[in-house]
Amino acid sequence: MAAADSPSAALRRRDLCSRGIRLAGKMRVDVIDLLDAYVERQGLDVSSLDSSVAAVEGVPLAAVERWDEQTGTQRLLENLAAYRAFRALLAQMLEEQREQLGEADAGLGRALASVLLQVSAFAYHLEELLRLESRGVPGEEEEEEGEEEEDRPPPPPRLSIFEQKLRGLGVLRELAQWAVRSARDLRQLSKPSPATGTASGLAESP
Amino acid sequence: MFSRWNWVACGFYLVLNICSPDASSGLVQSCGHIIPESPVLPLGSNFTALCILNESCLDFGNIYANQIIWKIKNRVVPKEQYHEVNKTVSSVTFNDTSSLATPLTCNIVADGQIEQNIYGITVTVGLPPEKPKNLSCIVHQVSRLTYHMTCTWDPGRHTYLDTQFRLRYSWPEDIFPDCIPKDVNNSCTVHDVHFFVNTEIWVEAANALGKAESDPLVLDPVDIVKPLPPQNVSVMSTVLPTVLALSWENWISHTVIKLKFNIRYRIVGDRNWMEVPSEDTASQRTSFSVQGLRPYTEYVFSIRCMKEDGVGYWSDWSEEKTGITTEDIPSKGPPIWRIIDTSHSPASWIVHLLWKALKPFEANGVILQYEVTVRDKSSLSSSLKKYNVTSTNHTLQLPNATYEVTVIARNSAGASPPSALLIPASYSKAPVKNLRTLPKHDKLWVGWTAPNSYVVKYVIEWCLVSSCSDCIIEWQIAPGDVQGIDLKGIKPFKCYLITVYPLYADGQGSGQSVKAYLKQDRPSKGPIVQTKKVGKAEAVLTWNHLTVDEQNGFIRNYTIIYKTIDGNETVVTVDPSKTEYTLSPLTSDTLYTVRMMASTDNGSRSGPDFTFTTQKFGKGEIEAIVVPVCLAFLLIVLLGVLFCFNKRDLIKKHIWPIVPDPSKSNIAQWSPQVPAKHNFNSKDQMYPEGSFTDVSVVEIEADDKKSFSEQDLKPFDLLKKEKSTSEGHSSGIGGSSCMSSPRQSVSDSDEGETTQNTSSTVQYSTVVLNGYRDQTPVQVFSRSESTQPLLDSEERSEDHAGGADSAAQRQQYFRQNGGQDETNTDRPCFERAKQITHANEGDLVGFVQLQISGQSSQPLGLGMEKNTQEAALSNVLQTSTEGQTVRPETVEENRLSVDEMPKSYLPQTVRQGGYMPQ
C-alpha cells in the first residue's frame, strides 16, 4: 500500500500501464499478421474451421461478463494467468513448428518467436504492476501445484499434427482477443480513479 | 682426454635439444624451461621470468644457472637484471614491459664459449580494454514489421591485443543473445527488437588482460525508432485553384505507433522549400490538403514522419511528388505601352501597341488571347474598335487623335482586369526632370525628379545603341510614386539610350532621354588619324569618330601625340567632338610620327602610328624663285640676240669668211660665148647635161637669195651621182646644195662612209678639176673655209657615163619629190626649187626637161595639165626610145650654146664682185 501511494510508484504504474497498452496494441497487430501467415503456411481454411476451433484449454476466456465490475488486481491476475498460459502454448507451438517445418519457414518461426517475446514482456509488465499494487505475484509453479492439488488434470493427450495446427490457430485467435482486452484493462487501471479502484480491488482480491 | 669427450657429448646433446621441435614432449628432453610460459603482460608493468635448468643437464654437462644469458630477440639483457636464484634457476626482471620484445630466450655459455639456447618464450604486451563510452542506439524500420537496432559506442584506447566487444541487451527476465560486431569494434546491429518493454543495453569489451563494461542504457526501443518515410505519396488538384490534396500510406500501424508528419513543398524550379505548419500535421493521418498555393503552379511535395510524441527520430523525406493547381483568372492586366511612328504621314500615326506577357503567378493559367480595345476619345461618337490578338503586340494606323487603349488577358478560367493606356494627341504635360543613371553591380539605376503634377506611372524605355543594329526598344513600367528603378539585363560596355515618360491620368509628358553605360571600358580601338593637308610648318590631321560599338564608354577626349624622328614628343588634348586638328608649328622637311588616342573614364586606346613629312618650301616659295629666274634668263637671251643682231656683220665675218663667187665674176661678162647675164635662169640651161663632164664648178653662195636657183639644184644632183660612181675623183667632196650643215651633206650621199666622214669633217676640202677631154686633170687640193654647197656638175657627167643605175636612182629621186612630201633631206631643196619655179615661169620648161631625162612619165602628167606646151613635149618624148639621145629642141639649143663654152673659156667660178682666173 505504501508503495502504491508514493508518487514514484504512481508514476511507475502509469508508465507501465501506458507501455503495456501500446505493447498490447502492437501484440494484437503482430498476432493478426501472424494469424494470416499461419493460416496460409499451415494450409488451413479459416471459413470451414471456424466451428472446429474450440476454446484453448488452460487459457481464461477473454470475454467475461461484468467486465467493468472487476477490480484492478483481478484484472491483473486474470491477464497474468492468461499470458503465462499463452507463453507456454506459444513456446510449444514454436517447438512444434520447428519440428514440422524445420528451418524451411524461418519467417513464421521468427514471427512466432516475436509474439512469444511480446507475450513474455507483457507478462512482465503485469507482474510489475502487481508488485506495485503490493500484491504478491503468484508463482507459476505455485499455480500449477495448487491446481494440481485441487484438480490434477490428466496429462494432455498426444495431438495429431492437424490438431496441433488447429490448437495453434485457436491460441493465436484467443491471444488477439486478449490483446484487446488487456489494453482495455490497463487503460482502466491507468485512469486516475479514486482509491476505491485500487483499494477496493485489492481488498476484494483473493 | 675424458674432459674433451665430455664436452663434445654435451654439445651434441644441446644441439639435439635445440633442434628438436618439441623438446619437452619429444624424444629428447630440454635442458630447461622458462616460467611463465608465453605471458601476456600489461604495458608498462614489471615482469620477472625464471629459467630453470634440468638436473640431468647439470650432471651431464656441468651446466649451472650462473652460466645463463637472457636475450630479447638477439640482444643480450644486461647482467644487472639477472638473479641467480640457485644453481639451476636464474631470473631476469624488467621494470617496464615496454622494453620487452619477442622472443625472450634463456641461453647458456658452455665451456669453450659456445652459446646455446635453452628455452624461449613469446611475450605479448598490451593494455586491458577501457570501458566503452557514449553508447547510443537507434532503431531503423526496415519493413512493415521489421526493425533493426543499431548501437554505437566509443571503444576506448587501442589495446594492442585481440579485444572482443559484444553488445548485450536484456529484459528483466530475459537475456537475449549477444550482438557481436563484425569487422568493427564500435557498433553492432540487433535484428530482433521488441517495443514497449524497457530493455537494458550495454557493451562488454574483453581481452587477455581484462574485461570492461559500458554503462547500461535502459530504454524502450520504440522510443528510438526512425520509421520509414510515408510511401505512395500522391498529389491531386482540387476545384480550388489554391489547394492540392496529398495522400500517402504509413509503414507503421497506428495501433503500434502513432505518427506525426512534416509536409514540405516548393514550386518546381524553385529551390526553397516551404513547410506546412507542424501543428497542422501533428497527428496520425494519411492525407492532407495544402492550401494557400498559387493557381496553375506546379508544386513538389515531400513528407516525413516520426512518433507522435516526438520521442525518436524523424524518418527520411519521402520521394518527391509533383502536382499542379488548377487555373484561376489572371490577377491583373498586362502592362501596356506603345511606339508611335509619325514619319509615315503627318496626319496619321502608325501605333505599335506592346504589352508584356503576364508572369506565371499573374497569368494563373495559359493565356489564350488578348482582347485589345481602342477608343477614340477625340471624337464625340467615341468609336470603339476591338481586336483579339494572340501575340503581345498589335499595330494600328490611326489618325492623329487622343485614344484610350485597353488590353485584357484571357485564360480558360476567365479574363483579367483591363489595363489601360492613354495615347494623347500631343504631349502637353510636364516631363520628368534631372534624369540620371547610376550603375549598381549588374543593374543600372535610373532616377529622375518627379514633375509637380501627380503621375500615375512612369514608362522607362531603353535600347542598346549600336552601329550594327537598330535600337530595339525595351520598356518597363514603374509606379507613379517611385523616382527611380533598376534596369536589369543591361550589358556592360554598351551604350544605352534611356527615355522616361511620365503618364498622367489625363495625358502624357514628353520623354526625357539620357545615354548611359553600366560599366565603361577603354575603347576597343583607337582612332585612325591621317593628314588632310601638310604644309611647311603645319599639318591638318583628320580622323573619324569611333563607332559607338568601339567606344566602350563616353569618349572624354582625344589625345594627339606627335614626335619627330629625334624623339621630341608633343601631346595635344582635343575635344571629343572634333574630327580635325591642325598641328602647328612644325619643322619644315621633317618626318613626323603621329598617334591618336581616345580616352574614356576607364582608359585609353591608341590608334596606329601615322607618319608624314612636312614640306621643304612653303606655299608660293617655289614660284617666287622660279619665275624671276626664268624671267632673268629670258632677258639675258633677248639681250644676247639683240647684241648678235647688232653685231651680225662682225660675227659673220668671223664665221663665214667671204668666198668669191665665180658666177659673178666679171670675167663671165667679158666671155663672148656666155649668154647675157640676165638670161642665166638655170643651170640646166647654162650647163646642159653632158657638157660639164670635164668641168668642176664650185658654187659658193653668198647671202644672196639668187644663188638658190636651179643652178644650185641641178648640179647637186649630178654631183651626188658622181660620188656614187667615181669616188676616187670626188675624194671626199661631199656637200649639199643647201645652206645646210655639213651633216646634211652627209645624209645626202647614201653611200660611201669615207665620203661621208670626209665631208663631215672637212667643210670644203677639195676642188677637183677634171682634165678637160684629153687633158690630164690637175688636181688641186685646197682647203676652203666656205660652207657653200659644191657644184655637182662633174658627178652628173659621171652619171651619164655610169649607165642605167644612175639613171634609175635619179628617177627615184624625182618620183619621191613629185609624188608626195617626203621627209627626205632633199626636200628643202626641192621646195626651194619649186619656189623658184613658181617665181620664174620660164624656168619650168627646163625643169620638165630634166624630169623627162629621168625617164619618168608620171610626173609629167601634172606638168601637162598645166601647160599644153609641155604636153606636146611629152608626146614627143613618148616616141623616143632613149631619153639621153632625144632631147627637146630647147635643150638642144642650150646644149649647143653650152657646147660652145668649153671652146671659148676656162672653167671659172662666178662670184659677184670678183673673179679669180685659174
Side-chain angles (χ1 to χ4, degrees):
Chain A
M1 284 296 287
D5 291 336
S6 68
S8 62
L11 200 65
R12 170 76 175 150
R13 184 165 170 266
R14 192 181 303 123
D15 177 61
L16 283 170
C17 286
S18 168
R19 205 182 300 276
I21 290 166
R22 289 191 287 168
L23 179 58
K26 181 170 189 312
M27 196 159 53
R28 175 175 164 74
V29 171
D30 289 352
V31 169
I32 288 172
D33 286 343
L34 179 59
L35 262 176
D36 293 340
Y38 187 83
V39 168
E40 181 187 346
R41 302 294 168 83
Q42 301 291 2
L44 299 174
D45 185 358
V46 178
S47 58
S48 62
L49 291 173
D50 279 347
S51 57
S52 306
V53 179
V56 180
E57 201 174 332
V59 177
L61 287 175
V64 65
E65 291 181 0
R66 290 186 294 222
W67 170 82
D68 53 346
E69 293 178 4
Q70 284 188 324
T71 63
T73 306
Q74 196 175 356
R75 291 174 198 276
L76 289 174
L77 288 173
E78 278 192 11
N79 273 274
L80 184 58
Y83 282 95
R84 281 179 173 172
F86 281 127
R87 186 165 60 191
L89 289 168
L90 285 170
Q92 189 178 351
M93 282 174 65
L94 189 60
E95 187 66 25
E96 290 168 356
Q97 191 267 342
R98 282 177 183 158
E99 285 177 3
Q100 290 168 20
L101 302 176
E103 296 298 322
D105 200 342
L108 186 63
R110 278 199 299 271
L112 267 173
S114 175
V115 170
L116 174 59
L117 274 173
Q118 290 178 59
V119 167
S120 176
F122 197 77
Y124 165 73
H125 274 93
L126 294 171
E127 290 169 1
E128 284 293 300
L129 282 168
L130 279 171
R131 284 193 196 96
L132 283 173
E133 300 291 344
S134 302
R135 183 72 172 84
V137 178
E140 291 182 58
E141 290 84 7
E142 286 177 14
E143 283 182 0
E144 287 170 7
E145 284 172 5
E147 288 171 3
E148 215 172 315
E149 286 172 1
E150 291 172 4
D151 183 15
R152 183 181 294 270
R158 184 70 183 175
L159 298 177
S160 66
I161 293 176
F162 181 70
E163 287 168 333
Q164 289 175 4
K165 289 180 180 178
L166 282 182
R167 191 188 61 181
L169 184 61
V171 167
L172 293 178
R173 280 183 172 178
E174 194 61 32
L175 179 57
Q177 290 187 19
W178 261 109
V180 177
R181 180 188 163 176
S182 298
R184 292 184 66 192
D185 284 334
L186 292 179
R187 207 168 279 121
Q188 190 73 16
L189 283 170
S190 65
K191 281 180 182 174
S193 57
T196 54
T198 310
S200 62
L202 291 172
E204 289 167 5
S205 60
Chain B
M1 190 68 184
F2 171 78
S3 176
R4 182 177 296 172
W5 281 109
N6 191 22
W7 277 111
V8 170
C10 179
F12 180 72
Y13 179 74
L14 286 171
V15 169
L16 279 178
N17 274 338
I18 293 164
C19 295
S20 170
D22 190 359
S24 58
S25 60
L27 296 173
V28 183
Q29 269 205 328
S30 171
C31 265
H33 63 280
I34 297 174
I35 296 175
E37 175 77 35
S38 300
V40 178
L41 305 173
L43 195 64
S45 63
N46 56 17
F47 170 66
T48 300
L50 299 173
C51 183
I52 303 166
L53 299 175
N54 291 340
E55 293 289 339
S56 57
C57 291
L58 296 179
D59 299 336
F60 189 75
N62 293 325
I63 299 170
Y64 299 100
N66 59 357
Q67 295 171 293
I68 287 176
I69 295 172
W70 292 90
K71 279 188 174 181
I72 301 172
K73 283 193 173 177
N74 294 319
R75 181 169 56 86
V76 176
V77 178
K79 297 259 184 180
E80 293 77 22
Q81 295 177 237
Y82 300 175
H83 175 65
E84 186 182 349
V85 179
N86 55 39
K87 66 175 185 180
T88 60
V89 177
S90 173
S91 69
V92 63
T93 300
F94 300 93
N95 291 327
D96 188 354
T97 52
S98 59
S99 62
L100 275 171
T102 294
L104 175 65
T105 55
C106 171
N107 307 276
I108 192 161
V109 178
D111 292 342
Q113 300 300 311
I114 299 172
E115 186 179 308
Q116 298 294 339
N117 178 252
I118 299 296
Y119 204 78
I121 59 170
T122 300
V123 179
T124 306
V125 179
L127 292 169
E130 277 189 321
K131 177 181 173 182
K133 297 183 287 286
N134 301 332
L135 175 64
S136 65
C137 300
I138 182 171
V139 174
H140 293 280
Q141 186 182 15
V142 179
S143 67
R144 183 174 291 277
L145 296 174
T146 309
Y147 297 86
H148 291 169
M149 183 173 69
T150 301
C151 295
T152 56
W153 60 88
D154 177 6
R157 67 188 176 191
H158 183 48
T159 62
Y160 307 102
L161 299 174
D162 182 20
T163 303
Q164 296 290 326
F165 288 86
R166 58 183 64 218
L167 178 71
R168 310 193 72 179
Y169 60 106
S170 68
W171 285 350
E173 296 178 333
D174 297 284
I175 292 180
F176 296 98
D178 295 340
C179 177
I180 298 172
K182 292 178 180 175
D183 304 327
V184 294
N185 62 357
N186 64 342
S187 73
C188 195
T189 299
V190 176
H191 298 280
D192 186 18
V193 181
H194 297 280
F195 295 149
F196 310 118
V197 181
N198 281 335
T199 307
E200 186 175 354
I201 305 166
W202 71 99
V203 177
E204 195 176 276
N207 65 13
L209 293 177
K211 188 167 73 172
E213 288 184 356
S214 71
D215 292 332
L217 193 66
V218 179
L219 51 82
D220 184 347
V222 80
D223 291 337
I224 53 172
V225 166
K226 181 182 180 183
L228 285 172
Q231 62 173 341
N232 297 333
V233 178
S234 65
V235 185
M236 287 167 290
S237 54
T238 64
V239 290
L240 297 173
T242 58
V243 175
L244 283 173
L246 297 180
S247 63
W248 63 89
E249 294 175 7
N250 296 316
W251 287 98
I252 300 177
S253 167
H254 68 281
T255 56
V256 178
I257 300 175
K258 284 189 169 58
L259 299 172
K260 67 176 183 180
F261 302 89
N262 268 175
I263 299 173
R264 65 177 184 177
Y265 60 98
R266 61 180 171 86
I267 296 172
V268 170
D270 192 350
R271 301 173 68 179
N272 299 321
W273 289 96
M274 295 166 280
E275 232 173 75
V276 173
S278 57
E279 54 269 24
D280 294 349
T281 55
S283 59
Q284 177 76 27
R285 62 179 62 240
T286 56
S287 64
F288 189 80
S289 291
V290 183
Q291 302 175 14
L293 304 176
R294 289 179 184 169
Y296 197 64
T297 305
E298 191 172 16
Y299 286 90
V300 180
F301 291 90
S302 182
I303 308 171
R304 66 177 181 176
C305 60
M306 76 176 297
K307 206 148 69 74
E308 189 178 26
D309 58 5
V311 180
Y313 298 92
W314 281 104
S315 70
D316 294 329
W317 287 101
S318 70
E319 60 176 345
E320 295 179 355
K321 288 288 183 179
T322 59
I324 187 166
T325 50
T326 52
E327 289 193 12
D328 196 4
I329 61 169
S331 60
K332 58 181 283 192
I336 182 172
W337 185 234
R338 88 293 172 276
I339 295 173
I340 297 175
D341 183 3
T342 57
S343 62
H344 174 68
S345 167
S348 65
W349 294 333
I350 292 178
V351 180
H352 302 279
L353 295 175
L354 311 167
W355 55 91
K356 289 185 183 295
L358 292 170
K359 294 183 174 68
F361 64 86
E362 297 168 338
N364 291 339
V366 178
I367 300 299
L368 302 174
Q369 68 175 24
Y370 298 95
E371 294 173 6
V372 181
T373 307
V374 180
R375 185 192 301 274
D376 185 355
K377 298 190 74 174
S378 305
S379 64
L380 296 173
S381 61
S382 189
S383 61
L384 190 71
K385 290 181 181 176
K386 285 188 176 180
Y387 308 92
N388 290 331
V389 184
T390 54
S391 63
T392 56
N393 58 73
H394 189 60
T395 300
L396 296 169
Q397 185 167 359
L398 300 171
N400 289 0
T402 298
Y403 296 95
E404 185 184 55
V405 180
T406 60
V407 176
I408 291 170
R410 184 178 288 278
N411 64 12
S412 63
S416 71
S419 33
L421 175 69
L422 186 72
I423 302 177
S426 62
Y427 303 107
S428 56
K429 302 292 182 180
V432 297
K433 293 174 279 189
N434 193 21
L435 183 62
R436 60 206 179 274
T437 61
L438 187 66
K440 281 184 179 177
H441 302 292
D442 59 339
K443 299 173 188 170
L444 186 65
W445 179 82
V446 181
W448 58 86
T449 302
N452 295 328
S453 308
Y454 171 71
V455 176
V456 177
K457 55 189 174 185
Y458 296 95
V459 174
I460 300 93
E461 275 185 1
W462 71 93
C463 70
L464 194 155
V465 182
S466 171
S467 56
C468 306
S469 60
D470 293 336
C471 197
I472 299 170
I473 292 174
E474 297 179 77
W475 55 278
Q476 185 176 335
I477 289 179
D481 56 350
V482 303
Q483 296 192 14
I485 61 163
D486 291 327
L487 300 183
K488 296 176 184 174
I490 303 295
K491 297 175 186 171
F493 318 129
K494 299 290 182 185
C495 182
Y496 284 86
L497 179 66
I498 301 163
T499 309
V500 177
Y501 297 89
L503 303 187
Y504 300 90
D506 55 348
Q508 186 175 320
S510 59
Q512 294 293 303
S513 297
V514 66
K515 281 186 176 179
Y517 284 87
L518 176 65
K519 196 185 286 183
Q520 294 190 48
D521 195 5
R522 60 178 189 154
S524 54
K525 60 182 287 190
I528 297 170
V529 66
Q530 56 187 358
T531 51
K532 182 180 179 184
K533 185 178 161 190
V534 178
K536 180 181 177 184
E538 77 282 331
V540 180
L541 301 178
T542 60
W543 61 91
N544 291 325
H545 285 306
L546 295 177
T547 65
V548 70
D549 297 314
E550 295 166 346
Q551 289 179 6
N552 292 340
F554 293 113
I555 300 295
R556 298 304 183 193
N557 57 56
Y558 291 117
T559 305
I560 299 173
I561 303 153
Y562 63 100
K563 62 181 180 180
T564 57
I565 200 156
D566 57 0
N568 289 333
E569 189 171 276
T570 309
V571 177
V572 180
T573 302
V574 182
D575 188 85
S577 61
K578 293 186 176 177
T579 58
E580 188 174 306
Y581 186 79
T582 302
L583 299 180
S584 177
L586 303 177
T587 309
S588 64
D589 194 22
T590 304
L591 179 67
Y592 279 90
T593 301
V594 63
R595 190 172 74 248
M596 193 157 181
M597 194 163 64
S599 304
T600 66
D601 292 339
N602 284 51
S604 306
R605 177 86 72 177
S606 296
D609 285 353
F610 181 78
T611 56
F612 66 89
T613 305
T614 51
Q615 292 184 352
K616 195 168 185 176
F617 300 102
K619 184 181 178 183
E621 278 188 5
I622 293 176
E623 290 84 347
I625 295 170
V626 170
V627 170
V629 168
C630 291
L631 288 175
F633 178 74
L634 284 174
L635 188 62
I636 292 168
V637 169
L638 188 62
L639 290 174
V641 169
L642 287 174
F643 176 79
C644 292
F645 184 76
N646 289 335
K647 302 292 184 182
R648 64 183 182 280
D649 293 336
L650 188 64
I651 293 169
K652 198 159 115 184
K653 187 181 288 179
H654 280 88
I655 296 174
W656 295 290
I658 297 169
V659 178
D661 186 357
S663 65
K664 294 179 181 158
S665 173
N666 293 333
I667 199 167
Q669 296 175 357
W670 56 258
S671 177
Q673 288 81 9
V674 175
K677 190 178 180 180
H678 60 273
N679 291 329
F680 190 73
N681 290 330
S682 70
K683 286 189 177 178
D684 285 335
Q685 291 173 331
M686 206 167 118
Y687 311 111
E689 274 189 327
S691 59
F692 283 2
T693 53
D694 53 353
V695 176
S696 293
V697 177
V698 176
E699 184 178 20
I700 299 171
E701 181 186 304
D703 54 344
D704 194 352
K705 277 189 175 182
K706 205 173 178 178
S707 62
F708 300 112
S709 62
E710 285 184 344
Q711 295 171 351
D712 299 328
L713 186 63
K714 193 79 174 180
F716 165 69
D717 189 43
L718 296 174
L719 180 62
K720 193 170 100 177
K721 300 306 169 193
E722 185 176 335
K723 277 195 292 183
S724 304
T725 54
S726 58
E727 256 185 351
H729 298 291
S730 64
S731 174
I733 299 174
S736 168
S737 60
C738 306
M739 275 186 62
S740 58
S741 66
R743 180 172 177 75
Q744 203 168 9
S745 301
V746 170
S747 60
D748 289 342
S749 56
D750 296 330
E751 302 158 358
E753 280 294 323
T754 310
T755 308
Q756 290 176 11
N757 293 335
T758 307
S759 61
S760 62
T761 53
V762 180
Q763 289 178 331
Y764 290 117
S765 59
T766 309
V767 176
V768 179
L769 297 176
N770 291 335
Y772 179 67
R773 298 190 183 265
D774 296 330
Q775 294 178 4
T776 302
V778 177
Q779 294 185 356
V780 178
F781 297 89
S782 66
R783 182 175 181 85
S784 172
E785 294 298 322
S786 175
T787 58
Q788 288 291 327
L790 297 176
L791 298 175
D792 58 348
S793 56
E794 58 182 357
E795 284 109 357
R796 215 179 88 180
S797 62
E798 288 294 327
D799 284 345
H800 283 283
D805 289 343
S806 299
Q809 288 178 0
R810 203 179 303 128
Q811 180 186 6
Q812 186 179 3
Y813 171 78
F814 278 100
R815 186 165 59 244
Q816 289 171 350
N817 286 283
Q820 54 188 349
D821 292 339
E822 286 287 335
T823 54
N824 199 305
T825 52
D826 294 336
R827 184 182 166 202
C829 306
F830 181 68
E831 285 174 350
R832 177 167 291 175
K834 279 175 72 179
Q835 290 169 2
I836 295 167
T837 304
H838 286 291
N840 191 348
E841 194 66 30
D843 295 340
L844 184 62
V845 176
F847 184 65
V848 171
Q849 288 172 342
L850 191 61
Q851 289 174 339
I852 293 167
S853 65
Q855 294 180 351
S856 174
S857 59
Q858 193 173 355
L860 288 175
L862 293 171
M864 285 188 294
E865 287 173 2
K866 289 183 179 179
N867 196 329
T868 53
Q869 187 181 357
E870 292 173 5
L873 284 170
S874 65
N875 289 333
V876 173
L877 286 169
Q878 284 172 357
T879 57
S880 173
T881 55
E882 189 171 354
Q884 289 182 341
T885 54
V886 179
R887 297 290 179 190
E889 290 179 4
T890 51
V891 176
E892 285 293 332
E893 287 175 8
N894 287 335
R895 178 184 268 180
L896 289 174
S897 61
V898 174
D899 285 343
E900 294 172 2
M901 288 174 69
K903 298 176 183 174
S904 58
Y905 68 89
L906 290 172
Q908 54 189 333
T909 301
V910 178
R911 169 66 182 163
Q912 190 175 3
Y915 175 73
M916 292 294 290
Q918 297 179 8

